[in-house]
Structure formats: structure tokens, C-alpha cells
Amino acid sequence: MAFEIRATGRAVPPRRVTNQDLADRVDTTDEWIKSHTGIGARHIADEGIACSDLAFQAAEAALSQLAETNGESAAMLAADLDLIILATTSADYIGVPSTACVLQDKLGARNAAAFDITACCTGLVYALEIAAGLLAMNVHRKRALVIGSELLSRITDWSDRGSCVLFGDGAAAIILEKTDAPREGAGRRGLIQSILHADGSGAQALFVQGGGTRDPFKAGEVLTKQPHLIMDGRIVYNFAVKALTSTIEELLQADGITIDAVRWIIPHQANARIVNAAQKRLGISDDKLYLNIEEYANTSAASIGIALDELNRAHRIAQGDLVMLVGFGAGLTYGGSLIVW
Ligand code: COA
């Protein structure tokens, strides 16, 4: 039994905000942002767009891609989905209902179980492993839609130059299918290794202030700021370099391979400096690492999926290629997957 990626999709809002656009509003410069993060722009959703709207566009793109290969209609494929798992930190509602349920209705995926997970920027990696586990558990489940969708612009403190320059909006979708291919040995395919970690002692390094049960809104209270991300950049940076480095090492070790066997490493796109530091420690060549942070900034649970979809649609992943996804982020959470394409 194997768990293969059959299609991918992405959705990015059309409104592109460059570093210079930000510098007109916040005390920053294009030079500072580029040199400290590698970010050149981010895409920001217009008012009225919610997490499920971007998720829907990404899901439609993935379903249409699968429909093209399968010769079925996207609507039929949606109706046939067994599972929808949506990773987000910026849901349509605070907890109730899940954004996955809103998406299920929009897609007409009436046979799919649907729920959200919160594993922040590691969300897509967590969701893929959960999807594979749930497909494995039941003979009747065949196909899962795994989504990372974020409107980080809605939980960004736009007056905090230390964090607001980092984030963007976007969504990505992956269709994971249970097949008869082998998961081990010669001819193995699909998701072959996964590593998931968490270190809750770092929860305060990156969190959303306001609106939860820890700090609920009270009737009559005048809000001076919307709920927003508070980050200790230095702590997160140091954690991220370690998490990215150790996850790559752990995945290689788990599979008994060296970095030479890997075609693509797709890291969470948080900061090009984080990736470059891990790359230097492990001696990874540039041609193995995929970075698109310059265009999208950090889109949290969506970032790895957006990158994967770009590579997939550009036909830059060949059948049999080993692809490594590595996530790290708030929680703190981190982890990765090895996939034979
Ligand atoms: N524009 C201009 N100056 C800025 C700035 C901005 N957008 N943000 C911070 N600065 C200033 C600071 O005020 C500070 O000035 P000071 O020395 O006069 O006090 C100076 O730049 C250095 O700040 P510092 O915080 O030490 O910068 P840094 O090199 O650590 O980079 C981050 C800051 C946020 C880019 C870096 O810590 C980081 O990437 N952390 C991880 C964040 C992340 O990826 N989060 C998501 C994880 S999933």
C-alpha cells in the first residue's frame, strides 16, 4: 500500500505588495527586508476573502489537474473525496466551525470527513501524515484532500516592523491517494518517511495575542489592535535553523540515504537566511533547494505546498525523484516527509 500525490494546486491573491509598498507605510526599507529575509514581495487578500476562499481555489486547481489525468470531472472527483484535512492558523472562524467543513460544502465534497489542524508552519507536513494514517485505517477510504491555507495578513500587526514584513497570504492543495504500489523496497512510491516533532516549551516565541480563551474579548471592550502575531524573532530564528538541519538529517538517517539521493528539498519558506544557514551546515548544493520566498514571503501552512505546486506544474519533478518537505514554526513544531514522486 502506498500514499501517492496525484495532484497539486495553489492559490495566491492577485494583490502584490512589494517591500517598497510596505516601506511607504512602515519604518523599513527594501534593502533591510531583502538582506535580512530574502523577501521581495507578498500577496495580500482583499477584504471579504476568507481562508476557505483561498483554500477553495487551491482545491479546485488540484481537482482539475487530477480530472485532466483521470478523464473524470472535477465535481465528480470532489464528490468522491473521503477526507479533507485543512491546516491553518488563520481560519474563517475562531474554532467553530472548522474551515475544512466550509470548504467541503463549497466543493460539494459531501462524502468527505472534514476537519482542521493547527500545527502552524509545519501544518502541511502534519496533515499529510494524518491523511496517510487515516487512509491506511479503512479500506473504504481512498483519497484525501490536504490543504494549507492562510490569511496571515489578518493576524499581522502592521505596526510591528519586526514581524509584518515577513508574512503573506496563500493556499495550497495536495490530493493524496492510496494505491497498490509498494511503500518500501524497489519501485517504492509516495510518502515513504515522515517525522513529526513538537516542543511546546517554545509556545510563547510565536503566538497570536487576543481572542482565545487565554485572553478572550470582553463585551464593551474597545480593541486597539486586532488579534495579532507576537514573535521573538531571535528565538524563532535559532530554533528554525536547528529544526531544519536536524529534520533533514533525521529523514536521511531514517531512510538510510545521503543527501545525494534527494532531488528536491522544499523547506518551509520563512526566511532565506534560515535556509542558507542549514544549507551551509549540511553542505547542500543550490540545485536541490527550492526557494520562492522572494515572491510570496512566509505563508505558513501553505508555503511548502505552493512551492511543491510550482515545481510540479513546471514539470521539474520527474517520476521516481525523491522529494523532501521540511516544516518548522510556531508551537514550536517541526517535521518533514520524504516522498518518491
Ligand atoms: N526594517 C528595518 N529595521 C528593522 C526591521 C525592519 N523591518 N525589523 C527589525 N529592524 C531593526 C531592529 O529594530 C534592530 O534595530 P536596532 O539594532 O536599532 O535595535 C535591527 O533591525 C536588528 O534587529 P534584529 O531583530 O536583531 O534583526 P535580525 O537580524 O535578528 O532579523 C528577523 C530579524 C525577524 C528577520 C529574524 O530574527 C528572523 O528571521 N527570525 C525568524 C522569524 C521567522 O521566520 N518567523 C516565522 C517562523 S515560521
Side-chain angles (χ1 to χ4, degrees):
M1 185 193 297
F3 306 99
E4 300 188 52
I5 292 180
R6 296 296 313 281
T8 61
R10 69 177 187 273
V12 176
R15 182 151 61 100
R16 185 172 186 269
V17 176
T18 63
N19 291 344
Q20 190 50 53
D21 295 333
L22 268 191
D24 295 341
R25 291 195 269 152
V26 189
D27 181 15
T28 189
T29 60
D30 174 50
E31 196 282 326
W32 191 97
I33 302 171
K34 280 225 177 89
S35 61
H36 283 72
T37 68
I39 294 167
R42 70 285 297 140
H43 291 246
I44 305 290
D46 287 336
E47 230 174 276
I49 299 290
C51 180
S52 63
D53 298 319
L54 283 189
F56 176 70
Q57 288 171 29
E60 287 266 282
L63 287 164
S64 304
Q65 192 181 61
L66 184 57
E68 262 174 48
T69 23
N70 270 16
E72 289 174 73
S73 78
M76 270 171 61
L77 287 167
D80 265 4
L81 285 170
D82 300 299
L83 274 176
I84 298 175
I85 305 178
L86 189 146
T88 189
T89 51
S90 43
D92 281 22
Y93 300 96
I94 303 178
V96 185
S98 72
T99 303
C101 281
V102 179
L103 174 64
Q104 187 234 29
D105 183 51
K106 284 184 202 230
L107 287 172
R110 52 191 171 278
N111 293 307
F115 60 95
D116 290 358
I117 66 153
T118 305
C120 305
C121 305
T122 322
L124 202 76
V125 171
Y126 266 66
L128 273 177
E129 179 73 345
I130 295 167
L134 290 176
L135 292 178
M137 291 276 285
N138 188 316
V139 283
H140 301 298
R141 291 190 201 119
K142 188 160 189 267
R143 230 177 249 146
L145 174 64
V146 175
I147 301 261
S149 183
E150 300 282 12
L151 269 79
L152 293 182
S153 62
R154 301 283 161 78
I155 53 168
T156 294
D157 179 353
W158 289 103
S159 66
D160 173 18
R161 69 175 182 171
S163 66
C164 76
V165 299
L166 301 175
F167 303 118
D169 300 339
I174 291 175
I175 296 177
L176 194 71
E177 191 173 287
K178 184 166 66 182
T179 71
D180 294 330
R183 200 179 173 205
E184 290 174 346
R188 64 188 183 154
R189 295 187 55 81
L191 195 60
I192 52 165
Q193 298 282 352
S194 271
I195 283 162
L196 305 178
H197 289 298
D199 174 8
S201 71
Q204 293 298 309
L206 182 53
F207 68 99
V208 173
Q209 180 151 65
T213 54
R214 173 69 51 209
D215 182 16
F217 301 136
K218 295 171 198 80
E221 189 179 11
V222 177
L223 287 184
T224 50
K225 273 184 186 171
Q226 83 232 39
H228 56 276
L229 285 161
I230 301 218
M231 180 183 72
D232 185 325
R234 199 50 71 81
I235 289 180
V236 176
Y237 183 92
N238 291 336
F239 150 74
V241 174
K242 268 196 226 136
L244 179 54
T245 311
S246 68
T247 304
I248 294 172
E249 285 177 320
E250 219 181 313
L251 279 169
L252 294 176
Q253 205 180 4
D255 205 46
I257 54 171
T258 65
I259 199 75
D260 296 336
V262 179
R263 175 60 195 95
W264 288 109
I265 297 176
I266 305 179
H268 166 49
Q269 314 278 316
N271 182 329
R273 273 167 63 210
I274 292 172
V275 177
N276 294 338
Q279 176 182 14
K280 215 165 147 193
R281 283 189 197 180
L282 297 172
I284 301 169
S285 55
D286 285 346
D287 62 328
K288 287 193 191 299
L289 276 164
Y290 190 71
L291 276 181
N292 62 10
I293 187 169
E294 183 170 6
E295 181 58 29
Y296 304 117
N298 178 349
T299 57
S300 192
S303 92
I304 291 173
I306 291 174
L308 183 69
D309 184 59
E310 284 191 338
L311 279 172
N312 183 23
R313 282 174 193 263
H315 305 290
R316 294 178 69 190
I317 318 179
Q319 193 170 338
D321 276 355
L322 209 48
V323 180
M324 187 188 278
L325 315 180
V326 187
F328 50 85
L332 301 166
T333 57
Y334 58 110
S337 319
L338 256 185
I339 294 155
V340 178
W341 201 253

